[in-house]
C-alpha cells in the first residue's frame, strides 16, 4: 500500500482553472468538471451525458466543454487539469491523438 497526497493548487491571478473528468462503462459515457477562480471560488460546474464512446473521448469532451464555456464567458487566461495522461500529452502536442 502506498499513500499519495493530492492537493488542489490555485491558479495564478487572472487565471481560471478547469478540472475535468470523463469515463465510460459498457460504452456509455459521461463527464463533467468545475471551473474555479484564482482564489479557489467556484465559478461553474457541469455534468454531461455524452452517449456512446470511449474513455479517452469522454475525457476530451469533458475538457473541451469547460474550455468552450470559458471562451464564451470571456475568460482569457485558462489553466486546465485532467487526470488523463493521454489527453494531457495530446493537448500539449507531446503525443498524437489516438
Amino acid at each position: 500500500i502506498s499513500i499519495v497526497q493530492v492537493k488542489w493548487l490555485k491558479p495564478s491571478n487572472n487565471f481560471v482553472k478547469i478540472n475535468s473528468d470523463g469515463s465510460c462503462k459498457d460504452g456509455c459515457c459521461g463527464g463533467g468538471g468545475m471551473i474555479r477562480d484564482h482564489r479557489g471560488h467556484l465559478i461553474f460546474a457541469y455534468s454531461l451525458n455524452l452517449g456512446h464512446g470511449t474513455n479517452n473521448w469522454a475525457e476530451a469532451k469533458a475538457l473541451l466543454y469547460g474550455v468552450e464555456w470559458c471562451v464564451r464567458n470571456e475568460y482569457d487566461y485558462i489553466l486546465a487539469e485532467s487526470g488523463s495522461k493521454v489527453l494531457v500529452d495530446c493537448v500539449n502536442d507531446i503525443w498524437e491523438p489516438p
Side-chain angles (χ1 to χ4, degrees):
I1 296 175
S2 67
I3 298 172
V4 178
Q5 183 177 5
V6 177
K7 182 178 179 184
W8 187 86
L9 300 174
K10 295 177 186 176
S12 301
N13 286 347
N14 300 321
F15 276 78
V16 295
K17 187 175 194 178
I18 303 169
N19 290 95
S20 66
D21 193 20
S23 65
C24 293
K25 182 175 181 180
D26 300 326
C28 294
C29 300
M34 62 178 58
I35 302 164
R36 296 179 185 243
D37 66 15
H38 66 276
R39 293 176 302 248
H41 296 151
L42 181 66
I43 297 170
F44 181 68
Y46 56 97
S47 176
L48 308 168
N49 179 352
L50 297 170
H52 292 286
T54 66
N55 216 37
N56 290 332
W57 178 80
E59 291 274 5
K61 290 292 282 188
L63 178 59
L64 178 62
Y65 186 92
V67 171
E68 288 176 337
W69 187 92
C70 287
V71 170
R72 277 193 314 274
N73 288 277
E74 299 181 1
Y75 289 99
D76 295 323
Y77 302 102
I78 305 166
L79 177 63
E81 286 187 345
S82 169
S84 169
K85 181 164 174 34
V86 170
L87 179 58
V88 170
D89 287 350
C90 289
V91 168
N92 288 319
D93 205 24
I94 294 170
W95 196 63
E96 278 292 314

